[in-house]
Amino acid sequence: MKINARFRLPARRSPRGLILQMHPPEILLLGFITFSLLGTLLLKIPGAATLPISWLEALFTATSAITVTGLIVIDTGSDLSFWGQLVVVTLIQIGGLGFMTFAALTVVMLGGRLPMVHQSLVRESLNQTSVGEIGRLVRTVILYALVAEAIGIVLLSLEWVPEFGWRKGLWESIFHTISAFNNAGFSTRSNSLMDDVGSPLVNLTITALFIIGGIGFAVLGDLRDKRRFSRLAFQTRLILMTTLILNLVAFFVITTLEWDNPDTLGGLPDTLDRLLAGWFQAVTPRTAGFNTLDTAAMTQPATVFTMVLMFIGGGPSSTASGIKITTFVVLLLTARAFFQQRDEPVIMRRRISVATVNKAIAVALGTVFMIFLVVLALTMTEANATLEEILFETISALATVGLSLGLTGHLSAPGQLIIIVTMLVGRVGPLSLGYLIARRRVPVTRYPRGAIQIG
């Protein structure tokens, strides 16, 4: 009854202002579902598609766009008209900046009040020490997004306007910039960005956009305030250093594994093209979903390594998903602390609390369990697919990356519904799990310790 009451009356007025009664995960999930259904209706309007598309295809496309995943069952460039593509890119912008970001901005601008437990959650997720700073940070996030996208549009126009003309070239620049910054991976071309594999401007601009979008809004806010690395918050320095290390390691591994593959790097004409393609393919799995090489043609070791990168994902409170960089680092530090027989993980002269370790373990295990369930379901609905294809597609959907080995376009109707749910859970799930973990319950009874042998 209490849950139904919250949904019937999501907000109420009080002497202090507007009070939201729904929990943040409920608001988030309801928001994504609402925009997904709205996008479905808009894509079914006559003129949105160049050929008839089913309701399920429209729902899949709208969900993939609002969750900034990028998996597709129709060709965005040829099967959708300009208006259909405009619906997709609008959903990407809303989903990328985050429904909660827009909701928080709306509440702040209207003078609404969040309950204290919700204020604490938002403050923690945005790495802010003061509730009053949240409104300023949210406004800064949107300003940064618009500035970064404007710069991206200008740079890509320098390449594509001379190639395609003003109308098509400008639209290609706008669409791909918004898709890249919001880590969506949608493209108006059937082969993504494979035609620009040798273009330094396109490669560096697109990768810069999705790396900036994937490091997290809290990092952007901290960089705005501090501007010097030594003065940055501990989490900001950790995310920046880990992002750099992961990108360099991924670049070395992917380039080495694919260097002699005639279907990927080995088929490119010169060394610069190979290095550009290696860099792009190394940094796209954790966040974006674009590709300049045929992902399905990669060697099996490179495919497995790509799945690991997708599982890790980007920074917290960013346009990327996955278990997040911080979760990955905490897990590594916890393992190192165990082998060094330390009570707590330590990095950069900072101790990681037991509560943080427990959160990281819960997020990682929850994600692994979800992957297992989805893989199990898809093996029953997609009898002709290989286990490698199913596992790759599952991680890509749950981490909202958008890379594919080609299975998504051949999914059955039940398989499409499974991936739709997976994309929604991947976008909302980690935040929901974090909220549940944040709602600390103090046990009434304290039990004696029990000894359990591990390993």
Side-chain angles (χ1 to χ4, degrees):
M1 293 296 293
K2 291 183 179 180
I3 294 178
N4 293 334
R6 286 204 310 272
F7 278 95
R8 287 198 304 269
L9 188 63
R12 63 181 175 82
R13 294 192 176 278
S14 74
R16 297 179 58 200
L18 188 67
I19 298 292
L20 299 179
Q21 298 195 127
M22 293 178 62
H23 298 316
E26 296 169 349
I27 298 174
L28 201 61
L29 180 59
L30 183 61
F32 278 118
I33 292 176
T34 300
F35 278 112
S36 180
L37 295 177
L38 178 60
T40 302
L41 294 175
L42 292 175
L43 290 175
K44 287 294 292 180
I45 292 176
T50 58
L51 50 81
I53 61 174
S54 67
W55 282 100
L56 184 56
E57 289 172 334
L59 176 63
F60 191 102
T61 303
T63 305
S64 184
I66 195 63
T67 59
V68 293
T69 303
L71 292 174
I72 55 173
V73 290
I74 60 174
D75 191 318
T76 309
S78 60
D79 294 347
L80 295 180
S81 66
F82 168 78
W83 297 109
Q85 293 174 26
L86 184 61
V87 170
V88 169
V89 82
T90 302
L91 290 173
I92 290 171
Q93 186 75 292
I94 295 172
L97 293 182
F99 179 77
M100 279 299 290
T101 303
F102 279 100
L105 178 63
T106 302
V107 170
V108 170
M109 292 181 66
L110 293 177
R113 307 275 184 158
L114 288 170
M116 286 305 299
V117 63
H118 296 175
Q119 290 181 5
S120 300
L121 174 66
V122 176
R123 183 173 69 248
E124 180 181 347
S125 67
L126 295 177
N127 193 28
Q128 296 298 295
T129 57
S130 169
V131 174
E133 288 292 302
I134 295 175
R136 189 163 70 95
L137 176 62
V138 170
R139 290 189 289 269
T140 301
V141 164
I142 295 189
L143 178 62
Y144 275 6
L146 295 178
V147 170
E149 288 174 355
I151 295 173
I153 291 170
V154 171
L155 292 176
L156 292 178
S157 295
L158 296 177
E159 178 84 15
W160 287 338
V161 167
E163 181 178 354
F164 300 111
W166 273 104
R167 183 176 180 179
K168 183 179 180 181
L170 187 59
W171 175 241
E172 292 262 319
S173 303
I174 294 172
F175 189 97
H176 285 89
T177 294
I178 295 175
S179 183
F181 181 80
N182 293 290
N183 285 233
F186 270 89
S187 176
T188 55
R189 309 175 190 180
S190 58
N191 63 354
S192 191
L193 296 174
M194 291 176 63
D195 292 339
D196 293 291
V197 63
S199 170
L201 181 60
V202 172
N203 277 264
L204 297 179
T205 300
I206 293 292
T207 54
L209 284 169
F210 62 64
I211 288 174
I212 292 172
I215 60 176
F217 299 150
V219 173
L220 295 177
D222 201 24
L223 288 172
R224 172 206 65 191
D225 294 334
K226 308 296 178 53
R227 302 187 181 184
R228 291 178 56 184
F229 187 81
S230 60
R231 298 174 57 191
L232 295 175
F234 166 67
Q235 176 173 293
T236 300
R237 287 182 284 130
L238 182 64
I239 291 174
L240 292 176
M241 289 177 60
T242 307
T243 298
L244 177 62
I245 293 172
L246 276 176
N247 286 343
L248 292 178
V249 170
F251 173 58
F252 174 78
V253 172
I254 293 292
T255 304
T256 301
L257 293 174
E258 294 295 313
W259 190 261
D260 294 322
N261 184 352
D263 296 323
T264 56
L265 295 184
L268 298 178
D270 54 51
T271 302
L272 178 60
D273 287 355
R274 290 188 182 189
L275 292 176
L276 283 173
W279 166 255
F280 196 102
Q281 208 64 27
V283 297
T284 191
R286 288 194 307 102
T287 53
F290 289 105
N291 60 285
T292 56
L293 299 174
D294 185 358
T295 307
M298 293 194 305
T299 60
Q300 198 166 52
T303 301
V304 172
F305 188 73
T306 299
M307 285 191 275
V308 173
L309 294 174
M310 291 193 295
F311 179 79
I312 294 172
S317 67
S318 73
T319 56
S321 288
I323 64 170
K324 307 297 187 184
I325 289 176
T326 46
T327 304
F328 174 69
V329 171
V330 169
L331 292 175
L332 290 182
L333 294 175
T334 302
R336 187 183 70 173
F338 171 77
F339 290 119
Q340 292 178 344
Q341 297 184 349
R342 290 185 175 182
D343 293 332
E344 293 176 313
V346 177
I347 185 172
M348 293 191 292
R349 299 181 179 180
R350 294 290 189 276
R351 292 181 293 110
I352 308 298
S353 68
V354 175
T356 301
V357 171
N358 290 338
K359 289 180 183 180
I361 294 174
V363 169
L365 284 180
T367 304
V368 170
F369 184 66
M370 184 65 189
I371 290 174
F372 174 79
L373 288 180
V374 175
V375 168
L376 179 63
L378 288 177
T379 54
M380 292 187 287
T381 63
E382 313 305 314
N384 296 324
T386 66
L387 183 60
E388 180 185 20
E389 291 174 335
I390 291 175
L391 182 59
F392 191 96
E393 230 77 2
T394 298
I395 298 176
S396 181
L398 192 62
T400 66
V401 174
L403 291 176
S404 173
L405 295 183
L407 176 61
T408 301
H410 303 287
L411 287 172
S412 62
Q416 290 185 39
L417 289 174
I418 291 170
I419 293 297
I420 287 172
V421 173
T422 304
M423 290 187 293
L424 285 170
V425 171
R427 191 64 177 146
V428 180
L431 292 175
S432 302
L433 184 58
Y435 174 76
L436 293 175
I437 294 171
R439 297 178 67 189
R440 191 173 299 173
R441 294 177 175 87
V442 180
V444 178
T445 306
R446 188 175 180 87
Y447 298 100
R449 293 182 184 272
I452 298 178
Q453 184 178 355
I454 302 296

